[in-house]
Amino acid sequence: MANETIDWSNLSFSYMKTDYNVRCTFRDGKWGEIEVCSDENVTLHMAASCLHYGQEIFEGLKAFRGKDGKVRLFRVDENAKRMQNSANGIMMEPIPVELFEQMCKKVIELNARFIPPYGTGSSLYLRPLEIGIEPRVGVNPATEYLFIIFATPVGPYFKGGFQTTDVAIYREFDRAAPLGTGRLKVGGNYACGMRATAKAKANGYSAALFLDPKEKKYLDECGPANFFCIKDGVYVTPKSGSILPSITNMSLQQIARDLGMEVQCRPVPVEELAEVQEAAECGTAAVCSPIGKIYDDGTDITYNIAKDGKPGPWTTKLYNRLRAIQLGEVEDTHNWCTIIEGI
Ligand SMILES: *Cc1c(COP(=O)(O)O)cnc(C)c1O
């Protein structure tokens, strides 16, 4: 696609072909050379461990064209560390942090013409993924892995402006087991969450809010995003062994502290939703997605969080500050952004 034909402000969160992806293979006990590839396809042995035994992990991060024209990659070191953690968690080969960062930079440089201009609300989304490629019939971790990063431009999450959506709690589904893979960014977690999300959507909600899988008493995660709420000016976010540590949530907690707020990371009982003034989902895709109502199917209670249906003042402030850091509009006091020079 010629760049002139891309409607940057109206991109959706979906795949668009770009020029190149980058790949690296682990074989014979070591990572090979970085390969630049224009093919979108992957040729795999039909017995590859990723196809049978779920040896697949991934990441998601964004690069932004800033107000000053510079390209900023947000917290790439954190994504690299988290991917190592995911790899270790399901017996895959961890990707060295330097290799991860180098390949992220390379894929951005190679696809520079797909970085959306400043002011469009869009960004270049990077999707690193690792799969076990060795043929396996018996259940054993593979000894050969393929690491790929592709890049695709994605649009602003909120087409009609920053607004609330409603979510629902269904106790008949879990997305992860108490001591399972919830803390890891593995594809299998998403498969587990799909039925709950489908039910939520069929009932007119934007996402399913999961409870802790052990006791079903505490809030866990909201679909593929973390959850936080604002209670009397305090930033409260659930703590549990089955939550994926969101880098957006970690960043918002720091911003909350910077704004002078108290931050609590602790088990949050469902009933406490009656006492909060704001709630939101958070993740790379949306930064924050404010929640209007939360319907609990188990008790038939609806928590009407945003009474006027609008995003609350703290959520809005946190959202604006994080976006401003990513776009170079305010000083990056925590050194979260890596500037990609020369593009
Ligand atoms: C990726 C992901 C998130 C969000 O993490 P960010 O680093 O903020 O993008 C939250 N929950 C789950 C289950 C995820 O996979």
Side-chain angles (χ1 to χ4, degrees):
M1 186 183 289
N3 289 38
E4 309 75 62
T5 64
I6 300 176
D7 183 2
W8 296 111
S9 303
N10 288 303
L11 296 171
S12 58
F13 192 78
S14 57
Y15 177 80
M16 180 194 286
K17 184 181 182 340
T18 53
D19 292 334
Y20 300 103
N21 59 82
V22 290
R23 306 181 183 196
C24 193
T25 305
F26 183 89
R27 189 171 280 140
D28 301 326
K30 58 180 192 301
W31 289 100
E33 296 293 311
I34 299 171
E35 296 162 45
V36 174
C37 205
S38 55
D39 190 351
E40 297 169 278
N41 298 297
V42 179
T43 302
L44 280 181
H45 193 286
M46 62 189 171
S49 74
C50 64
L51 297 177
H52 302 262
Y53 303 128
Q55 279 202 303
E56 191 273 347
I57 57 176
F58 69 99
E59 274 300 327
L61 66 167
K62 284 176 171 177
F64 304 83
R65 177 78 66 185
K67 196 177 181 185
D68 53 6
K70 292 182 178 162
V71 176
R72 287 173 174 77
L73 181 59
F74 190 68
R75 303 199 80 169
V76 59
D77 52 326
E78 291 296 337
N79 289 92
K81 282 189 269 175
R82 189 169 68 188
M83 196 153 195
Q84 288 199 325
N85 201 39
S86 298
N88 286 322
I90 58 168
M91 301 294 290
M92 293 176 65
E93 183 63 30
I95 295 130
V97 170
E98 315 76 62
L99 180 64
F100 184 99
E101 296 191 7
Q102 198 187 347
M103 286 174 65
C104 283
K105 279 183 198 161
K106 189 152 195 141
V107 81
I108 295 169
E109 286 162 3
L110 289 165
N111 295 293
R113 71 187 188 97
F114 291 96
I115 304 168
Y118 172 73
T120 56
S122 299
S123 55
L124 188 70
Y125 182 72
L126 306 191
R127 170 53 61 87
L129 67 145
E130 183 183 355
I131 51 176
I133 56 172
E134 194 181 15
R136 283 281 179 216
V137 176
V139 183
N140 273 310
T143 61
E144 291 178 11
Y145 293 91
L146 175 61
F147 176 50
I148 306 178
I149 309 179
F150 67 78
T152 194
V154 294
Y157 191 85
F158 300 100
K159 288 282 172 340
F162 197 48
Q163 60 199 357
T164 61
T165 63
D166 300 337
V167 304
I169 298 168
Y170 299 111
R171 283 173 173 69
E172 72 262 43
F173 305 108
D174 289 320
R175 64 171 277 284
L179 299 174
T181 56
R183 306 173 40 75
L184 316 173
K185 211 165 174 78
V186 308
N189 291 347
Y190 279 70
C192 286
M194 281 185 186
R195 210 158 249 296
T197 305
K199 182 166 181 178
K201 295 213 163 132
N203 290 324
Y205 299 98
S206 68
L209 176 55
F210 293 96
L211 298 185
D212 79 278
K214 193 168 180 186
E215 296 187 85
K216 303 272 184 181
K217 275 189 189 164
Y218 305 99
L219 301 175
D220 223 80
E221 279 207 80
C222 203
N226 274 188
F227 175 89
F228 72 85
C229 53
I230 308 289
K231 185 182 175 188
D232 304 323
V234 178
Y235 184 108
V236 182
T237 191
K239 183 180 179 142
S240 124
S242 48
I243 293 178
L244 189 280
S246 152
I247 296 162
T248 311
N249 192 359
M250 194 199 305
S251 309
L252 291 170
Q253 289 174 41
Q254 182 59 54
I255 293 171
R257 286 190 206 96
D258 294 348
L259 294 173
M261 298 169 78
E262 185 192 330
V263 173
Q264 292 176 359
C265 191
R266 58 167 170 84
V268 183
V270 193
E271 313 77 60
E272 200 175 336
L273 288 172
E275 298 160 31
V276 310
Q277 292 84 40
E278 299 180 36
E281 300 170 51
C282 61
T284 295
V287 176
C288 302
S289 177
I291 296 172
K293 296 187 178 74
I294 300 174
Y295 173 63
D296 183 346
D297 183 66
T299 56
D300 204 31
I301 293 172
T302 297
Y303 298 95
N304 190 8
I305 314 249
K307 304 271 184 306
D308 59 359
K310 298 202 181 78
W314 284 115
T315 307
T316 307
K317 212 174 281 185
L318 291 162
Y319 171 82
N320 286 338
R321 177 67 75 91
L322 185 50
R323 293 276 302 161
I325 295 170
Q326 292 173 331
L327 296 170
E329 294 168 348
V330 295
E331 202 193 332
D332 178 19
T333 52
H334 300 288
N335 286 316
W336 286 340
C337 302
T338 301
I339 293 183
I340 313 292
E341 306 284 353
I343 50 172

